[in-house]
């Protein structure tokens, strides 16, 4: 090892297209070819670490892949020369440079967790408190399609060992959503679970109408409306557990939603809250209040997938709504051997070594879009 106090000596930012190979329709938009942002950190001992964030579509999240890379052009230089082991200080620096921009900050945060793990010889799961399992439960999305196709896909997925399904809805007449929910319910096996996720797609009255029309069907209702205020108003009038995703932006909002008994669970995206550091706080709160949460993100490859699986592995199954991978929809691996994948309905923790457990060959991402170096 070199000097006692390591420093971040180089940051490279890559743009990696991850085109959807299968249908992936949400209420606001269909996924086409999101361009993932990869952050590569190189420290003063030559250790290389990675972070990643990737928005699925410009409409489905508050950031875009272009705005993320623009924010990184300000954030990355601010952490050059910083001690990667002092992550709180790095976060403070980033917050002093830019307000908000959680998604861009998350890419650097995740890379720091990977680097700290590599420097200490520990997995990110160990750094997060230790994994309770090596086989993390997952859920699979059935995009917006006809009731017949949705039911066929739900049947196929369960035959492949997937027991947790998320059916997308919204962006069309609710009669079609209701028909799809009922068609999928017909093929749901004992032991399988269903969530219906509109990604903010219904009005309050639509959400209430669908819940009443499907009152005899068990499913979690995920982010049926766009705002916290709408969710708060419909909560006493719906008959299904309310899962908060896009409105769960920070620990203050999340805790208020739990204590005001609006939230029955969360769909948590690491990038939305700023990385694994805030996600760990949210996880601890959800464990303490016995509030189920997922550990996932909008889109992306092995790096963000491994981050979600690492955090998901530290949660007990009864509170883990699942880690989610975009891999089944784009089929890309950055690490063909260790990259996280779904097998028999679970995702195994990558075993490629410390940090996120990935082995990423030099040149995997082509030429960097941005390079920042320590000139001191
Ligand atoms: C299923 N996800 C985690 C991935 C898609 O981007 C949407 C998201 C969700 O649950 O909203
Ligand atoms: Mg969701």
């Amino acid at each position: 090892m070199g000097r006692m106090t390591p420093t971040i000596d180089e940051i490279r930012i890559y743009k990696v297209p991850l085109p959807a190979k299968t249908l992936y329709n949400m209420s606001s938009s269909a996924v086409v070819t999101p361009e993932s942002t990869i952050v590569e950190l190189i420290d003063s001992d030559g250790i290389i670490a990675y972070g990643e964030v990737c928005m699925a579509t410009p409409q489905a999240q508050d950031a875009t892949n272009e705005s993320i890379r623009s924010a990184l052009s300000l954030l990355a230089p601010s952490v050059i020369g910083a001690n990667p082991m002092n992550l709180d200080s790095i976060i403070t620096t980033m917050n002093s440079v830019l307000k908000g921009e959680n998604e861009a900050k998350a890419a650097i945060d995740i890379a720091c967790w990977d680097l700290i793990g590599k420097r200490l010889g520990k997995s990110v799961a160990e750094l997060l408190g230790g994994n309770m399992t090596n086989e993390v439960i997952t859920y699979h999305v059935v995009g917006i399609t006809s009731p017949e196709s949705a039911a066929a896909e739900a049947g196929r997925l369960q035959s492949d060992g997937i027991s947790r399904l998320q059916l997308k809805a919204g962006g069309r007449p609710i009669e079609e959503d209701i028909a799809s929910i009922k068609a999928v319910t017909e093929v749901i096996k004992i032991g399988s679970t269903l969530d219906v996720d509109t990604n903010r797609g219904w009005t309050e009255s639509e959400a209430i109408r669908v819940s009443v029309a499907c009152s005899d069907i068990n499913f979690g209702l995920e982010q049926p409306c766009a705002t916290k205020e709408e969710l708060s108003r419909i909560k006493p009038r719906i008959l299904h557990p309310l899962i908060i995703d896009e409105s769960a932006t920070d620990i203050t909002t999340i805790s208020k939603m739990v204590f005001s008994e609006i939230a029955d669970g969360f769909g948590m995206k690491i990038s939305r809250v700023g990385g694994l550091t805030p996600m760990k706080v949210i996880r601890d709160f959800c464990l303490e209040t016995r509030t189920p949460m997922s550990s996932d993100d909008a889109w992306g490859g092995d790096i963000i997938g491994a981050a979600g699986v690492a955090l998901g592995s530290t949660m007990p199954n009864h509170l883990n709504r699942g880690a989610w991978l975009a891999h089944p929809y784009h089929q890309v691996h950055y690490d063909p051997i260790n990259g996280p994948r779904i097998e028999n309905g679970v995702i195994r923790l990558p075993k490629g070594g410390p940090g996120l457990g990935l082995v990423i060959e030099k040149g995997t991402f082509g030429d960097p879009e941005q390079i920042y170096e320590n000139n001191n």
Side-chain angles (χ1 to χ4, degrees), residues 24 26 56 61 139 141 166 168 197 199 222 245-246 269 296-299 324:
Y24 200 99
M26 294 182 279
Q61 289 87 37
Y139 66 93
V141 167
Q166 182 191 85
K168 292 297 188 186
D197 183 5
N199 296 100
E222 183 166 327
D245 185 336
E246 286 82 352
K269 295 187 179 75
D296 54 43
D297 223 280
W299 200 258
W324 181 83

Side-chain angles (χ1 to χ4, degrees), residues 2 33 91 132 172:
T33 304
I91 292 169
M132 291 191 168
R172 61 181 178 179

Side-chain angles (χ1 to χ4, degrees), residues 156-177:
R156 184 189 67 75
L157 290 168
Q158 291 175 96
S159 303
D160 290 347
I162 296 281
S163 61
R164 295 174 181 234
L165 301 173
Q166 182 191 85
L167 176 66
K168 292 297 188 186
R172 61 181 178 179
I174 58 167
E175 291 72 20
E176 293 178 32
D177 287 331

